[in-house]
């Protein structure tokens, strides 16, 4: 699977069935090539005109399943690291 394949999949939280968005980037360990986290842009501001204020950093160990169209993750959004 390539990074561009992951970017086409929507991330859904199985805890609350919330749609978090699409994968924008990955955080990985360059020494061993292991994926450390998925980075998903946060909610848009003012109907999307002012861009995005934050992003979700979802540890790869929280990924439960990668399907054809979606990626299921098991996180509490309150505990998820949010970069601003």
């Amino acid at each position: 699977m390539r990074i561009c394949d992951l970017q086409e999949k929507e991330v859904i939280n199985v805890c609350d069935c919330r749609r978090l968005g699409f994968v924008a980037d990955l955080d990985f360990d360059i020494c061993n090539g292991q994926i450390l986290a998925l980075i998903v842009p946060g909610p848009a501001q003012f109907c999307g005109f002012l861009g995005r204020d934050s992003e979700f950093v979802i540890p790869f160990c929280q990924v439960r399943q990668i399907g054809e169209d979606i990626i299921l993750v098991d996180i509490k959004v309150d505990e998820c690291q949010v970069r601003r």
Side-chain angles (χ1 to χ4, degrees), residues 1 6 9-15 20-23 25-27 34-40 56-76 80:
M1 181 174 293
L6 287 176
K9 299 177 189 301
E10 186 171 21
V11 179
I12 298 178
N13 188 0
V14 296
C15 287
L20 300 178
F22 291 85
V23 176
D25 204 356
L26 298 175
D27 186 14
Q34 183 179 8
I35 298 174
L36 301 176
L38 302 177
I39 300 173
V40 178
F56 298 110
V57 179
I58 304 166
F60 197 73
C61 63
Q62 299 298 95
V63 173
R64 295 296 170 241
Q65 188 169 5
I66 299 175
E68 291 286 324
D69 299 330
I70 61 172
I71 299 173
L72 297 177
V73 298
D74 186 10
I75 61 166
K76 292 189 176 25
C80 180

